[in-house]
Amino acid sequence: MADMKNLYGFEKLNNQNYSVWAFKMKMLLIKEDLWMTIEGNIPEGIDAREIHKKHEKALSMIALMVENDQVTLIKDSKSGKAAWCILKAYHQQTAMGFKVRIFKRLFRIRLPRGGDMQKHIQTISEMTTDLQDRGVELTDEVIVSVFLASLNEEWDPLVTAIEAWDSARLTVANVKAKLLDEWDRKKNNGECVAESDDVALKVQPKYDFTCYYCQKPGHLKRNCPIYNAVKMNQNKESAKESRYKN
């Protein structure tokens, strides 16, 4: 990714990283004493020529930190503020479509028998991070539910065990570690038998069946993220009640 960076040390703007880019770009403009040109809060007493230079410098820094496919959006901008507003409006408008596409992929993703758990975890983590970068709030419980729902039936015993964990233990980090530990154990015991020569992560094609629980197409009830989240919450409540009774 080095070719996507310049001396400022962060990725240029593309169609997937607006939230992170906007934050880092704002910090850079603040550091260079140029954010005032974007906000429009220029203090009185600054020479007009100095203000003009600041506007031009802000525009040049923004333009140099966008990918080529973004340049067409701002090539006619006369100031940094104009370019900033155009990019903000464009990416906020397209954010919903991006979220929908990621959610579709996320809810269809499955680990095949003998699949690479490390790649599987990495792919789901990248998707959830993309959503969070777009402002989607994903709790640990939701992300854990996605991980567990994406596993095939050979992982059912472990899924059942994890569902019984208490809330303090049920974190994304702990679940990832447990899945990787179990994957290592399976590999060492020769239990990882791939469905095909390609054991890389696969995305399950869209089938005609419909989930009995949420009535959404493309997955079964046992793989339903909503059902698994509810079930996990019920297990935690049952565990609490048991502790109170004891």
Side-chain angles (χ1 to χ4, degrees), residues 7 25 33 51 58 63 91 98 100 125 138 144 149 166 212:
L7 57 88
M25 194 70 224
D33 198 25
I51 294 175
H91 285 280
F98 175 82
V100 170
S125 297
L138 297 175
V144 166
D166 59 46
Y212 178 77

Side-chain angles (χ1 to χ4, degrees), residues 172-183:
V172 173
N174 286 342
V175 170
K176 284 182 179 180
K178 187 64 177 177
L179 293 177
L180 289 173
D181 286 345
E182 180 64 11
W183 183 52

Side-chain angles (χ1 to χ4, degrees), residues 98-136:
F98 175 82
K99 293 173 187 176
V100 170
R101 289 193 296 273
I102 292 295
F103 271 120
K104 281 184 177 180
R105 291 179 58 205
L106 196 59
F107 290 152
R108 292 178 186 173
I109 199 166
R110 296 291 179 267
L111 178 72
R113 293 185 66 86
D116 189 322
M117 178 59 75
Q118 190 168 11
K119 290 182 180 179
H120 186 69
I121 289 175
Q122 180 181 350
T123 300
I124 292 179
S125 297
E126 288 174 353
M127 290 184 189
T128 55
T129 298
D130 283 341
L131 288 169
Q132 289 170 326
D133 288 344
R134 294 281 178 162
V136 178

